[in-house]
Amino acid sequence: AQTVTQSQPEMSVQEAETVTLSCTYDTSESDYYLFWYKQPPSRQMILVIRQEAYKQQNATENRFSVNFQKAAKSFSLKISDSQLGDAAMYFCAYRSARLSNFGNEKLTFGTGTRLTIIP
Amino acid sequence: DTGVSQNPRHKITKRGQNVTFRCDPISEHNRLYWYRQTLGQGPEFLTYFQNEAQLEKSRLLSDRFSAERPKGSFSTLEIQRTEQGDSAMYLCASSRGTSGYTGELFFGEGSRLTVL
Protein backbone atom coordinates (compact mmCIF):
# COMPACT_ATOMS: atom_id res chain seq x y z
CA ALA A 1 0.00 0.00 0.00
CA GLN A 2 1.12 3.49 -0.73
CA THR A 3 1.93 5.87 2.11
CA VAL A 4 2.41 9.62 2.17
CA THR A 5 4.41 11.35 4.88
CA GLN A 6 4.42 15.02 5.78
CA SER A 7 6.97 15.54 8.52
CA GLN A 8 6.19 19.19 9.24
CA PRO A 9 2.96 19.52 11.26
CA GLU A 10 3.27 23.30 11.30
CA MET A 11 5.17 25.93 9.35
CA SER A 12 5.15 29.69 9.42
CA VAL A 13 6.45 32.28 6.99
CA GLN A 14 6.62 36.02 6.83
CA GLU A 15 4.30 37.61 4.31
CA ALA A 16 5.99 38.02 0.90
CA GLU A 17 8.65 35.45 1.75
CA THR A 18 9.09 31.94 0.35
CA VAL A 19 8.28 28.72 2.15
CA THR A 20 8.76 25.06 1.25
CA LEU A 21 6.54 22.25 2.51
CA SER A 22 7.93 18.73 2.45
CA CYS A 23 6.33 15.47 1.39
CA THR A 24 7.69 11.99 0.87
CA TYR A 25 5.84 8.94 -0.34
CA ASP A 26 6.34 5.26 -0.69
CA THR A 27 5.20 3.25 -3.69
CA SER A 28 6.33 0.38 -5.88
CA GLU A 29 4.55 1.82 -8.92
CA SER A 30 6.23 3.78 -11.66
CA ASP A 31 3.28 5.76 -12.93
CA TYR A 32 1.22 7.89 -10.59
CA TYR A 33 -0.04 11.36 -9.81
CA LEU A 34 0.97 13.57 -6.94
CA PHE A 35 -1.07 16.46 -5.64
CA TRP A 36 -0.96 19.30 -3.18
CA TYR A 37 -4.34 20.28 -1.79
CA LYS A 38 -5.12 23.34 0.31
CA GLN A 39 -7.78 23.33 3.02
CA PRO A 40 -8.51 26.80 4.43
CA PRO A 41 -10.21 26.95 7.85
CA SER A 42 -13.81 25.77 7.56
CA ARG A 43 -13.58 25.73 3.78
CA GLN A 44 -13.47 22.98 1.23
CA MET A 45 -10.29 21.37 0.03
CA ILE A 46 -9.03 22.68 -3.29
CA LEU A 47 -6.30 21.54 -5.62
CA VAL A 48 -3.16 23.67 -5.61
CA ILE A 49 -0.95 21.79 -8.03
CA ARG A 50 -0.59 18.39 -9.71
CA GLN A 51 2.41 16.43 -10.98
CA GLU A 52 2.40 13.41 -13.27
CA ALA A 53 5.20 11.03 -12.37
CA TYR A 54 6.20 10.41 -15.99
CA LYS A 55 6.93 14.11 -16.47
CA GLN A 56 10.42 15.16 -15.47
CA GLN A 57 9.57 18.84 -15.54
CA ASN A 58 8.39 20.23 -12.23
CA ALA A 59 4.87 21.62 -12.26
CA THR A 60 4.26 25.30 -11.60
CA GLU A 61 1.07 27.28 -11.00
CA ASN A 62 1.72 30.98 -10.55
CA ARG A 63 3.36 31.37 -7.12
CA PHE A 64 3.25 27.63 -6.44
CA SER A 65 5.85 25.19 -7.71
CA VAL A 66 6.99 21.71 -6.83
CA ASN A 67 10.32 19.96 -6.57
CA PHE A 68 9.61 16.41 -7.72
CA GLN A 69 12.42 13.96 -7.07
CA LYS A 70 11.15 10.61 -8.32
CA ALA A 71 14.13 8.52 -7.26
CA ALA A 72 14.04 9.97 -3.77
CA LYS A 73 10.21 9.78 -3.69
CA SER A 74 10.06 13.38 -2.62
CA PHE A 75 7.51 15.99 -3.62
CA SER A 76 7.90 19.38 -1.97
CA LEU A 77 5.76 22.47 -2.50
CA LYS A 78 7.29 25.92 -2.74
CA ILE A 79 5.12 28.96 -2.19
CA SER A 80 6.70 32.19 -3.34
CA ASP A 81 5.65 35.69 -2.29
CA SER A 82 3.47 34.28 0.49
CA GLN A 83 0.14 36.00 1.00
CA LEU A 84 -2.26 36.06 3.95
CA GLY A 85 -4.72 34.02 1.90
CA ASP A 86 -2.23 31.18 1.71
CA ALA A 87 -2.83 30.36 5.38
CA ALA A 88 -4.34 26.88 5.45
CA MET A 89 -3.69 23.19 5.95
CA TYR A 90 -1.77 21.75 3.04
CA PHE A 91 -2.08 18.09 2.18
CA CYS A 92 0.13 16.05 -0.08
CA ALA A 93 -1.66 13.21 -1.86
CA TYR A 94 -0.83 10.25 -4.08
CA ARG A 95 -2.89 8.42 -6.69
CA SER A 96 -1.98 5.50 -8.87
CA ALA A 97 -2.20 6.18 -12.59
CA ARG A 98 -2.99 2.55 -13.33
CA LEU A 99 -6.48 2.42 -14.78
CA SER A 100 -8.74 -0.01 -13.04
CA ASN A 101 -12.39 -0.54 -12.39
CA PHE A 102 -11.61 -2.39 -9.21
CA GLY A 103 -9.55 -0.05 -7.12
CA ASN A 104 -6.48 2.17 -7.19
CA GLU A 105 -8.79 5.08 -7.77
CA LYS A 106 -8.47 6.71 -4.39
CA LEU A 107 -6.17 9.46 -3.24
CA THR A 108 -3.95 8.68 -0.28
CA PHE A 109 -3.27 11.76 1.83
CA GLY A 110 -0.55 12.76 4.24
CA THR A 111 -1.33 14.16 7.67
CA GLY A 112 -0.98 17.73 6.54
CA THR A 113 1.06 20.84 7.31
CA ARG A 114 -0.57 23.86 8.89
CA LEU A 115 0.85 26.99 7.27
CA THR A 116 0.66 30.30 9.11
CA ILE A 117 1.43 33.57 7.38
CA ILE A 118 2.94 36.26 9.59
CA PRO A 119 1.95 39.79 8.53
CA ASP B 1 -23.19 23.81 -11.46
CA THR B 2 -21.48 25.10 -8.34
CA GLY B 3 -19.58 22.03 -7.26
CA VAL B 4 -19.98 19.17 -4.80
CA SER B 5 -22.75 19.74 -2.29
CA GLN B 6 -23.03 18.02 1.10
CA ASN B 7 -25.87 18.01 3.61
CA PRO B 8 -26.25 18.51 6.46
CA ARG B 9 -23.16 20.56 7.15
CA HIS B 10 -23.23 19.74 10.82
CA LYS B 11 -25.01 16.99 12.71
CA ILE B 12 -25.06 16.52 16.46
CA THR B 13 -26.44 13.23 17.68
CA LYS B 14 -26.51 11.04 20.73
CA ARG B 15 -24.58 7.81 20.89
CA GLY B 16 -26.59 4.95 19.46
CA GLN B 17 -28.58 7.02 17.01
CA ASN B 18 -28.44 6.63 13.24
CA VAL B 19 -27.33 9.44 10.96
CA THR B 20 -27.34 9.89 7.21
CA PHE B 21 -25.31 12.26 5.09
CA ARG B 22 -26.01 13.18 1.50
CA CYS B 23 -23.62 14.16 -1.26
CA ASP B 24 -24.51 15.63 -4.62
CA PRO B 25 -21.50 15.45 -6.95
CA ILE B 26 -20.66 17.60 -9.93
CA SER B 27 -23.18 16.49 -12.51
CA GLU B 28 -20.87 15.09 -15.19
CA HIS B 29 -18.66 13.21 -12.72
CA ASN B 30 -19.17 9.46 -12.61
CA ARG B 31 -16.87 8.76 -9.68
CA LEU B 32 -17.83 9.64 -6.13
CA TYR B 33 -15.73 9.22 -3.01
CA TRP B 34 -16.29 9.36 0.73
CA TYR B 35 -13.48 10.28 3.10
CA ARG B 36 -13.33 10.78 6.85
CA GLN B 37 -11.19 13.44 8.44
CA THR B 38 -10.52 13.75 12.14
CA LEU B 39 -9.07 16.85 13.77
CA GLY B 40 -5.50 17.52 12.72
CA GLN B 41 -5.37 14.55 10.37
CA GLY B 42 -5.51 14.04 6.65
CA PRO B 43 -8.58 12.60 4.95
CA GLU B 44 -8.88 8.83 5.18
CA PHE B 45 -10.50 6.93 2.35
CA LEU B 46 -13.78 5.17 3.14
CA THR B 47 -15.32 4.10 -0.16
CA TYR B 48 -15.89 5.07 -3.75
CA PHE B 49 -18.39 4.56 -6.54
CA GLN B 50 -18.20 4.46 -10.27
CA ASN B 51 -21.70 5.36 -11.34
CA GLU B 52 -23.92 3.24 -9.08
CA ALA B 53 -21.35 0.52 -8.43
CA GLN B 54 -19.45 0.58 -5.15
CA LEU B 55 -15.98 -0.50 -6.26
CA GLU B 56 -13.88 -0.27 -3.13
CA LYS B 57 -14.45 -0.12 0.60
CA SER B 58 -11.85 0.65 3.22
CA ARG B 59 -11.37 -1.50 6.27
CA LEU B 60 -12.34 1.66 8.17
CA LEU B 61 -15.88 1.13 6.94
CA SER B 62 -17.29 -1.09 9.63
CA ASP B 63 -20.59 -2.95 9.39
CA ARG B 64 -22.31 0.07 10.91
CA PHE B 65 -21.48 2.13 7.86
CA SER B 66 -23.28 1.83 4.55
CA ALA B 67 -23.04 3.94 1.44
CA GLU B 68 -25.25 3.98 -1.60
CA ARG B 69 -25.39 5.77 -4.88
CA PRO B 70 -28.69 4.91 -6.53
CA LYS B 71 -28.88 5.72 -10.23
CA GLY B 72 -25.31 6.94 -10.15
CA SER B 73 -26.22 10.43 -9.07
CA PHE B 74 -26.26 11.54 -5.43
CA SER B 75 -24.88 9.35 -2.67
CA THR B 76 -25.79 8.73 0.95
CA LEU B 77 -23.58 7.61 3.80
CA GLU B 78 -25.42 6.12 6.75
CA ILE B 79 -23.91 5.39 10.13
CA GLN B 80 -25.95 3.15 12.39
CA ARG B 81 -25.66 3.01 16.16
CA THR B 82 -23.22 5.90 16.25
CA GLU B 83 -20.28 5.84 18.64
CA GLN B 84 -18.23 8.74 19.96
CA GLY B 85 -15.34 7.58 17.80
CA ASP B 86 -17.44 8.31 14.74
CA SER B 87 -17.15 12.04 15.44
CA ALA B 88 -15.34 13.46 12.43
CA MET B 89 -15.74 15.45 9.25
CA TYR B 90 -17.13 13.33 6.43
CA LEU B 91 -15.93 14.57 3.07
CA CYS B 92 -17.41 13.76 -0.29
CA ALA B 93 -15.53 14.22 -3.55
CA SER B 94 -16.21 13.52 -7.19
CA SER B 95 -14.20 13.16 -10.36
CA ARG B 96 -14.42 12.31 -14.01
CA GLY B 97 -13.58 8.79 -15.05
CA THR B 98 -13.22 9.30 -18.77
CA SER B 99 -10.19 9.65 -20.98
CA GLY B 100 -8.12 12.62 -20.05
CA TYR B 101 -8.78 11.95 -16.42
CA THR B 102 -6.09 13.67 -14.42
CA GLY B 103 -6.75 12.15 -11.04
CA GLU B 104 -8.04 15.35 -9.48
CA LEU B 105 -10.83 15.10 -6.94
CA PHE B 106 -13.28 17.92 -6.33
CA PHE B 107 -14.34 18.12 -2.71
CA GLY B 108 -17.44 19.32 -0.95
CA GLU B 109 -17.32 21.34 2.25
CA GLY B 110 -17.95 18.28 4.36
CA SER B 111 -20.47 17.14 6.94
CA ARG B 112 -19.29 17.40 10.50
CA LEU B 113 -20.60 14.74 12.87
CA THR B 114 -20.53 15.19 16.62
CA VAL B 115 -21.59 12.20 18.70
CA LEU B 116 -22.38 13.02 22.32
Side-chain angles (χ1 to χ4, degrees), chain B residues 2-114:
Chain B
T2 56
V4 178
S5 175
Q6 292 189 245
N7 288 288
R9 294 291 311 283
H10 196 179
K11 178 73 175 179
I12 301 173
T13 190
K14 293 182 178 179
R15 185 165 51 93
Q17 298 295 305
N18 299 343
V19 297
T20 299
F21 299 113
R22 175 177 171 131
C23 172
D24 288 272
I26 294 172
S27 58
E28 64 267 27
H29 287 181
N30 66 352
R31 286 191 170 87
L32 185 149
Y33 304 77
W34 285 100
Y35 281 81
R36 182 174 70 184
Q37 186 178 22
T38 53
L39 197 62
Q41 298 297 313
E44 297 172 295
F45 171 76
L46 293 179
T47 188
Y48 91 95
F49 294 83
Q50 179 172 297
N51 300 314
E52 66 276 8
Q54 188 173 17
L55 296 188
E56 188 174 354
K57 293 168 61 174
S58 163
R59 295 172 190 169
L60 293 175
L61 217 62
S62 74
D63 292 343
R64 297 184 297 105
F65 289 69
S66 63
E68 295 182 343
R69 192 183 182 196
K71 303 178 182 178
S73 55
F74 71 91
S75 175
T76 58
L77 176 68
E78 181 183 17
I79 309 174
Q80 297 181 327
R81 305 181 303 280
T82 53
E83 302 172 356
Q84 288 185 328
D86 296 332
S87 295
M89 178 75 83
Y90 290 85
L91 299 173
C92 178
S94 68
S95 72
R96 291 187 180 88
T98 56
S99 60
Y101 173 54
T102 59
E104 178 182 358
L105 299 189
F106 295 81
F107 283 85
E109 295 191 32
S111 293
R112 180 171 296 284
L113 174 65
T114 302

Side-chain angles (χ1 to χ4, degrees), chain A residues 1-6 23 25-26 33-35 91-96 105-111, chain B residues 35 42-45 105:
Chain A
Q2 293 81 19
T3 58
V4 177
T5 301
Q6 293 180 251
C23 172
Y25 58 94
D26 187 27
Y33 300 104
L34 295 166
F35 305 87
F91 293 97
C92 179
Y94 170 102
R95 184 197 178 276
S96 171
E105 298 289 346
K106 61 182 178 289
L107 263 63
T108 299
F109 287 87
T111 52
Chain B
Y35 281 81
E44 297 172 295
F45 171 76
L105 299 189

